[in-house]
PDB file of all heavy atoms in Angstrom:
ATOM      1  N   ASP A 551      14.421 -27.562   0.544  1.00 93.00           N
ATOM      2  CA  ASP A 551      13.185 -27.061  -0.055  1.00 93.00           C
ATOM      3  C   ASP A 551      12.345 -28.233  -0.459  1.00 93.00           C
ATOM      4  O   ASP A 551      12.737 -29.047  -1.302  1.00 93.00           O
ATOM      5  CB  ASP A 551      13.550 -26.191  -1.273  1.00 93.00           C
ATOM      6  CG  ASP A 551      12.323 -25.463  -1.839  1.00 93.00           C
ATOM      7  OD1 ASP A 551      11.216 -25.683  -1.298  1.00 93.00           O
ATOM      8  OD2 ASP A 551      12.463 -24.712  -2.814  1.00 93.00           O
ATOM      9  N   THR A 552      11.148 -28.326   0.129  1.00 91.00           N
ATOM     10  CA  THR A 552      10.242 -29.443  -0.162  1.00 91.00           C
ATOM     11  C   THR A 552       9.395 -29.186  -1.410  1.00 91.00           C
ATOM     12  O   THR A 552       8.703 -30.076  -1.856  1.00 91.00           O
ATOM     13  CB  THR A 552       9.311 -29.697   1.030  1.00 91.00           C
ATOM     14  OG1 THR A 552       8.499 -28.523   1.242  1.00 91.00           O
ATOM     15  CG2 THR A 552      10.134 -29.978   2.281  1.00 91.00           C
ATOM     16  N   HIS A 553       9.414 -27.954  -1.929  1.00 91.00           N
ATOM     17  CA  HIS A 553       8.577 -27.544  -3.065  1.00 91.00           C
ATOM     18  C   HIS A 553       7.088 -27.663  -2.749  1.00 91.00           C
ATOM     19  O   HIS A 553       6.270 -27.827  -3.672  1.00 91.00           O
ATOM     20  CB  HIS A 553       8.914 -28.387  -4.300  1.00 91.00           C
ATOM     21  CG  HIS A 553      10.368 -28.426  -4.649  1.00 91.00           C
ATOM     22  ND1 HIS A 553      11.068 -27.321  -5.122  1.00 91.00           N
ATOM     23  CD2 HIS A 553      11.288 -29.423  -4.534  1.00 91.00           C
ATOM     24  CE1 HIS A 553      12.319 -27.654  -5.309  1.00 91.00           C
ATOM     25  NE2 HIS A 553      12.503 -28.900  -4.953  1.00 91.00           N
ATOM     26  N   ALA A 554       6.757 -27.582  -1.470  1.00 90.00           N
ATOM     27  CA  ALA A 554       5.358 -27.632  -1.041  1.00 90.00           C
ATOM     28  C   ALA A 554       5.074 -26.415  -0.175  1.00 90.00           C
ATOM     29  O   ALA A 554       5.868 -26.059   0.702  1.00 90.00           O
ATOM     30  CB  ALA A 554       5.059 -28.913  -0.262  1.00 90.00           C
ATOM     31  N   ASP A 555       3.948 -25.746  -0.439  1.00 89.00           N
ATOM     32  CA  ASP A 555       3.617 -24.516   0.282  1.00 89.00           C
ATOM     33  C   ASP A 555       3.335 -24.732   1.755  1.00 89.00           C
ATOM     34  O   ASP A 555       3.461 -23.798   2.555  1.00 89.00           O
ATOM     35  CB  ASP A 555       2.404 -23.844  -0.375  1.00 89.00           C
ATOM     36  CG  ASP A 555       2.708 -23.387  -1.793  1.00 89.00           C
ATOM     37  OD1 ASP A 555       3.892 -23.149  -2.095  1.00 89.00           O
ATOM     38  OD2 ASP A 555       1.755 -23.269  -2.605  1.00 89.00           O
ATOM     39  N   LYS A 556       3.001 -25.971   2.131  1.00 90.00           N
ATOM     40  CA  LYS A 556       2.613 -26.187   3.525  1.00 90.00           C
ATOM     41  C   LYS A 556       3.834 -26.323   4.444  1.00 90.00           C
ATOM     42  O   LYS A 556       3.676 -26.393   5.668  1.00 90.00           O
ATOM     43  CB  LYS A 556       1.743 -27.440   3.642  1.00 90.00           C
ATOM     44  CG  LYS A 556       2.441 -28.733   3.258  1.00 90.00           C
ATOM     45  CD  LYS A 556       1.490 -29.914   3.430  1.00 90.00           C
ATOM     46  CE  LYS A 556       2.175 -31.224   3.058  1.00 90.00           C
ATOM     47  NZ  LYS A 556       1.253 -32.375   3.248  1.00 90.00           N
ATOM     48  N   TYR A 557       5.071 -26.418   3.878  1.00 91.00           N
ATOM     49  CA  TYR A 557       6.266 -26.570   4.681  1.00 91.00           C
ATOM     50  C   TYR A 557       7.142 -25.318   4.582  1.00 91.00           C
ATOM     51  O   TYR A 557       7.150 -24.616   3.569  1.00 91.00           O
ATOM     52  CB  TYR A 557       7.081 -27.781   4.233  1.00 91.00           C
ATOM     53  CG  TYR A 557       6.396 -29.104   4.448  1.00 91.00           C
ATOM     54  CD1 TYR A 557       6.121 -29.936   3.382  1.00 91.00           C
ATOM     55  CD2 TYR A 557       6.033 -29.516   5.717  1.00 91.00           C
ATOM     56  CE1 TYR A 557       5.504 -31.159   3.584  1.00 91.00           C
ATOM     57  CE2 TYR A 557       5.413 -30.728   5.927  1.00 91.00           C
ATOM     58  CZ  TYR A 557       5.144 -31.539   4.852  1.00 91.00           C
ATOM     59  OH  TYR A 557       4.515 -32.745   5.066  1.00 91.00           O
ATOM     60  N   LYS A 558       7.893 -25.066   5.632  1.00 89.00           N
ATOM     61  CA  LYS A 558       8.881 -24.012   5.622  1.00 89.00           C
ATOM     62  C   LYS A 558      10.150 -24.491   4.902  1.00 89.00           C
ATOM     63  O   LYS A 558      10.340 -25.700   4.692  1.00 89.00           O
ATOM     64  CB  LYS A 558       9.247 -23.617   7.061  1.00 89.00           C
ATOM     65  CG  LYS A 558       8.142 -22.935   7.854  1.00 89.00           C
ATOM     66  CD  LYS A 558       8.656 -22.524   9.202  1.00 89.00           C
ATOM     67  CE  LYS A 558       7.565 -21.788   9.977  1.00 89.00           C
ATOM     68  NZ  LYS A 558       8.070 -21.327  11.307  1.00 89.00           N
ATOM     69  N   ILE A 559      10.988 -23.524   4.528  1.00 89.00           N
ATOM     70  CA  ILE A 559      12.300 -23.858   4.007  1.00 89.00           C
ATOM     71  C   ILE A 559      13.196 -24.276   5.197  1.00 89.00           C
ATOM     72  O   ILE A 559      13.333 -23.514   6.156  1.00 89.00           O
ATOM     73  CB  ILE A 559      12.936 -22.676   3.262  1.00 89.00           C
ATOM     74  CG1 ILE A 559      12.058 -22.309   2.061  1.00 89.00           C
ATOM     75  CG2 ILE A 559      14.334 -23.027   2.800  1.00 89.00           C
ATOM     76  CD1 ILE A 559      11.957 -23.321   0.988  1.00 89.00           C
ATOM     77  N   GLY A 560      13.736 -25.479   5.145  1.00 87.00           N
ATOM     78  CA  GLY A 560      14.591 -25.964   6.232  1.00 87.00           C
ATOM     79  C   GLY A 560      15.971 -25.361   6.125  1.00 87.00           C
ATOM     80  O   GLY A 560      16.607 -25.363   5.063  1.00 87.00           O
ATOM     81  N   LYS A 561      16.467 -24.820   7.250  1.00 88.00           N
ATOM     82  CA  LYS A 561      17.810 -24.226   7.288  1.00 88.00           C
ATOM     83  C   LYS A 561      18.556 -24.765   8.503  1.00 88.00           C
ATOM     84  O   LYS A 561      18.056 -24.704   9.631  1.00 88.00           O
ATOM     85  CB  LYS A 561      17.738 -22.696   7.396  1.00 88.00           C
ATOM     86  CG  LYS A 561      17.098 -22.035   6.138  1.00 88.00           C
ATOM     87  CD  LYS A 561      17.042 -20.540   6.303  1.00 88.00           C
ATOM     88  CE  LYS A 561      16.413 -19.884   5.091  1.00 88.00           C
ATOM     89  NZ  LYS A 561      16.327 -18.416   5.241  1.00 88.00           N
ATOM     90  N   PHE A 562      19.754 -25.311   8.255  1.00 88.00           N
ATOM     91  CA  PHE A 562      20.567 -25.892   9.304  1.00 88.00           C
ATOM     92  C   PHE A 562      22.037 -25.554   9.030  1.00 88.00           C
ATOM     93  O   PHE A 562      22.385 -25.134   7.927  1.00 88.00           O
ATOM     94  CB  PHE A 562      20.394 -27.420   9.379  1.00 88.00           C
ATOM     95  CG  PHE A 562      18.968 -27.860   9.535  1.00 88.00           C
ATOM     96  CD1 PHE A 562      18.174 -28.073   8.430  1.00 88.00           C
ATOM     97  CD2 PHE A 562      18.408 -28.040  10.809  1.00 88.00           C
ATOM     98  CE1 PHE A 562      16.844 -28.485   8.574  1.00 88.00           C
ATOM     99  CE2 PHE A 562      17.096 -28.420  10.957  1.00 88.00           C
ATOM    100  CZ  PHE A 562      16.312 -28.649   9.840  1.00 88.00           C
ATOM    101  N   LYS A 563      22.892 -25.774  10.050  1.00 90.00           N
ATOM    102  CA  LYS A 563      24.332 -25.596   9.914  1.00 90.00           C
ATOM    103  C   LYS A 563      25.013 -26.855  10.432  1.00 90.00           C
ATOM    104  O   LYS A 563      24.600 -27.403  11.452  1.00 90.00           O
ATOM    105  CB  LYS A 563      24.825 -24.382  10.713  1.00 90.00           C
ATOM    106  CG  LYS A 563      24.458 -23.027  10.113  1.00 90.00           C
ATOM    107  CD  LYS A 563      24.988 -21.912  10.982  1.00 90.00           C
ATOM    108  CE  LYS A 563      24.643 -20.565  10.410  1.00 90.00           C
ATOM    109  NZ  LYS A 563      25.396 -20.263   9.177  1.00 90.00           N
ATOM    110  N   ARG A 564      26.039 -27.283   9.727  1.00 91.00           N
ATOM    111  CA  ARG A 564      26.843 -28.424  10.165  1.00 91.00           C
ATOM    112  C   ARG A 564      28.302 -28.201   9.777  1.00 91.00           C
ATOM    113  O   ARG A 564      28.614 -27.496   8.823  1.00 91.00           O
ATOM    114  CB  ARG A 564      26.336 -29.755   9.561  1.00 91.00           C
ATOM    115  CG  ARG A 564      25.000 -30.250  10.114  1.00 91.00           C
ATOM    116  CD  ARG A 564      25.105 -30.594  11.575  1.00 91.00           C
ATOM    117  NE  ARG A 564      23.841 -31.096  12.107  1.00 91.00           N
ATOM    118  CZ  ARG A 564      22.920 -30.332  12.707  1.00 91.00           C
ATOM    119  NH1 ARG A 564      23.095 -29.027  12.795  1.00 91.00           N
ATOM    120  NH2 ARG A 564      21.821 -30.879  13.180  1.00 91.00           N
ATOM    121  N   ILE A 565      29.191 -28.835  10.567  1.00 91.00           N
ATOM    122  CA  ILE A 565      30.632 -28.665  10.363  1.00 91.00           C
ATOM    123  C   ILE A 565      31.232 -29.988   9.856  1.00 91.00           C
ATOM    124  O   ILE A 565      30.887 -31.061  10.382  1.00 91.00           O
ATOM    125  CB  ILE A 565      31.304 -28.252  11.687  1.00 91.00           C
ATOM    126  CG1 ILE A 565      30.924 -26.792  12.031  1.00 91.00           C
ATOM    127  CG2 ILE A 565      32.816 -28.369  11.593  1.00 91.00           C
ATOM    128  CD1 ILE A 565      31.506 -26.342  13.324  1.00 91.00           C
TER     129      ILE A 565
END
Side-chain angles (χ1 to χ4, degrees):
D551 188 359
T552 62
H553 308 291
D555 295 336
K556 64 179 180 179
Y557 294 120
K558 294 183 177 182
I559 299 295
K561 295 180 181 179
F562 305 89
K563 288 179 179 289
R564 288 295 181 268
I565 290 177

